[in-house]
Amino acid sequence: MSKTYLIVAEHRDGKLRRVALEALRAAADVADEGDAIHAALLGERLDGLAAELAAYPLAQVHAIEGEALRHYNPEAYARALDPLLQSLRPDGLFLGHTAFGRDFAPALAAKLSAGQISDVIAIERDGDETLFVRPLYAGKAIERRAFTAYPQVVTIRPSNLPAAEPRADGLAADIAKRSADHAADLRTVVREVVRKTAGAIDLTEARIVVAGGRGVKSAAGFRPLEELAELLGGAVGASRGACDAGYCGYGLQIGQTGKVVTPEIYIACGISGAIQHLAGMSGSRIIVAINKDPEAPIFGIADYGIVGDLFEVVPLLIQAFRKA
Ligand code: FAD
C-alpha cells in the first residue's frame, strides 16, 4: 500500500531553512514509488514560501496561517497542524533536528502515538529495511535504527543529508491554504523574539566555520577570527571555554551542550579538543586545527594541523586569502 509522508518545513525571517529541504530529501529517500510527500508550513503570510516550496517534488504544500503562529509555540502549532494530520494520516513525519524540531517532533510523535528516531545523519537501505543512522555518546558511536511500525517521526541533523532539488520539469505542486488561530492556553508567548547572532550566516548552516577557544584570550581576540570567517563567507563559532570566559555569547557555543555543526571546513583556533566540543563539530568534512600545543587532542581528529600561535597564524591566513 502506498504511503504518505509529511515534512514540517522550517523557515526563518521569510526564508526556508536549508534543513527543510534536507528533510524533504530524507522523506524522498525513504519513500517508494507511488508514495506521496506533502509539506506543511506554519506561520504568517506564507504565500512566498509556499510558492518556493511548491517548486520541489511534492504532492501538495499546506500553508497554515494564523497570527498565533507568528512565533513557534508547541500548543498552537500542534493544534493548527491537527486537522492536516487527521486528514492526511501520514505514515511518516520529517523535521529538522533544530531547536524547533527537537521540541515539536516529540509532541507530534506523542499525538500520533508514533515512534521517533532523532538526530539522523544518514539513511541507508538494507533490502526492504530502511535504516536511520544516528550518532551516540557525543559522536563516539554510530547506531543504525529501524522502525517496526507506522507512523514514524524522524528528525534530521542539519547539513548532513543533501538538500532536495527543485523539480526538473518546472511544474509546481498544488498549494492548499488553511487558516488557524488557536491561541495557546498553557504557555504565554512573549511577542518578541530577541535573536543573538554574530553574523548574517547561520552557524548551523554555514559551509565554513572559524571557531575560537580559550586560547583566543579575549573578546578582542575574536576579531581576526571574524575577519577570516567574513572573508571566507563563513560563520564564527566558539568552544564553551571561550563562552564561559565571556569572550563571546553562548549563541556561538559548539558542542554537546551547544550547537552541532557539520560544515565543509572547520577551523579550530586555540581549542584543545575536549570530547564535549568534538560532539558538536566532529562531523565536519575537513578540520583544520591551530594550536600552540602539539599535544592538544584536537590534532587527533584534525585533517590539517598547524602548531603555532593563532595570533600569528590567523593574520597570515587572512593575508593569503586576500591575495587569492
Ligand atoms: P582549553 O581546554 O583551555 O584549551 C585552550 C587551548 O588553546 C589549549 O589547547 C591551548 O594550547 C590553546 N592555546 C592557548 N593560547 C594559544 C595561542 N595563542 N595560539 C594557539 N593556541 C593557543 N565544551 C564545548 O566546547 N562545548 C560544549 O558544548 C561543552 N559542553 C560541556 C558539557 C559538559 C557536561 C561538560 C562537563 C563540559 C562541556 N564542555 C563543552 C567543556 C569542555 O569539557 C572543555 O572544558 C572546553 O571545550 C574547553 O574549551 P577550550 O578548548 O576553548 O579551552
Side-chain angles (χ1 to χ4, degrees):
M1 224 173 76
S2 66
K3 302 258 179 299
T4 302
Y5 295 98
L6 176 67
I7 65 154
V8 182
E10 198 173 336
H11 54 96
R12 185 193 282 170
D13 301 332
K15 291 196 185 107
L16 274 181
R17 292 198 68 183
R18 189 182 150 85
V19 73
L21 301 176
E22 292 164 359
L24 172 53
R25 170 61 187 258
D29 284 350
V30 168
D32 290 317
E33 216 178 313
D35 292 347
I37 305 175
H38 293 246
L41 279 164
L42 295 108
E44 272 192 316
R45 291 185 285 279
L46 297 170
D47 286 351
L49 283 174
E52 191 185 331
L53 203 49
Y56 288 84
L58 286 161
Q60 208 169 21
V61 175
H62 304 267
I64 306 168
E65 295 182 320
E67 205 184 314
L69 308 178
R70 183 183 307 160
H71 304 303
Y72 170 62
N73 177 299
E75 296 156 53
Y77 268 50
R79 283 196 207 172
L81 196 59
D82 195 47
L84 180 63
L85 296 178
Q86 297 294 337
S87 61
L88 219 51
R89 302 218 162 267
D91 299 286
L93 271 168
F94 288 80
L95 295 90
H97 194 73
T98 56
F100 165 73
R102 280 195 243 189
D103 192 68
F104 199 33
L108 294 174
K111 208 172 175 57
L112 296 171
S113 299
Q116 179 174 333
I117 299 182
S118 304
D119 203 12
V120 170
I121 57 168
I123 293 170
E124 295 173 354
R125 289 282 194 136
D126 183 9
D128 280 346
E129 200 163 43
T130 303
L131 300 173
F132 296 89
V133 183
R134 60 190 297 270
L136 286 178
Y137 308 120
K140 275 191 158 175
I142 297 286
E143 72 166 359
R144 288 169 171 74
R145 268 183 185 249
F147 286 105
T148 52
Y150 292 96
Q152 310 174 338
V153 175
V154 178
T155 62
I156 303 294
R157 182 183 282 203
S159 305
N160 277 267
L161 287 168
E165 296 286 342
R167 288 171 67 127
D169 57 15
L171 293 175
D174 179 44
I175 298 171
K177 279 183 84 161
R178 289 170 191 250
S179 58
D181 248 324
H182 311 285
D185 47 25
L186 290 177
R187 306 185 205 189
T188 309
V189 180
V190 178
R191 288 269 164 224
E192 187 190 11
V193 174
V194 181
R195 186 161 299 134
K196 290 190 175 179
T197 50
I201 299 172
D202 188 312
L203 185 53
T204 57
E205 294 182 357
R207 289 185 56 247
I208 298 177
V209 172
V210 182
R214 222 182 320 248
V216 171
K217 295 190 174 67
S218 66
F222 262 88
R223 298 244 170 79
L225 277 61
E226 286 159 10
E227 199 179 334
L228 180 61
E230 199 184 328
L231 193 62
L232 300 176
V236 174
S239 70
R240 179 155 140 189
C243 300
D244 283 346
Y247 306 159
C248 59
Y250 283 98
L252 298 192
Q253 186 184 318
I254 292 166
Q256 189 180 320
T257 42
K259 296 196 164 96
V260 175
V261 298
T262 33
E264 296 282 309
I265 305 176
Y266 188 88
I267 307 175
C269 310
I271 294 176
S272 60
I275 180 71
Q276 296 90 352
H277 185 76
L278 304 190
M281 47 64 75
S282 59
S284 308
R285 211 162 78 79
I286 297 171
I287 297 169
V288 181
I290 305 166
N291 197 304
K292 63 181 187 185
D293 174 9
E295 303 297 324
I298 190 80
F299 288 127
I301 63 150
D303 299 285
Y304 299 94
I306 303 172
V307 179
D309 186 332
L310 71 94
F311 296 105
E312 288 168 20
V313 177
V314 174
L316 285 174
L317 289 176
I318 293 172
Q319 218 178 63
F321 283 117
R322 277 207 196 288
K323 274 197 207 143

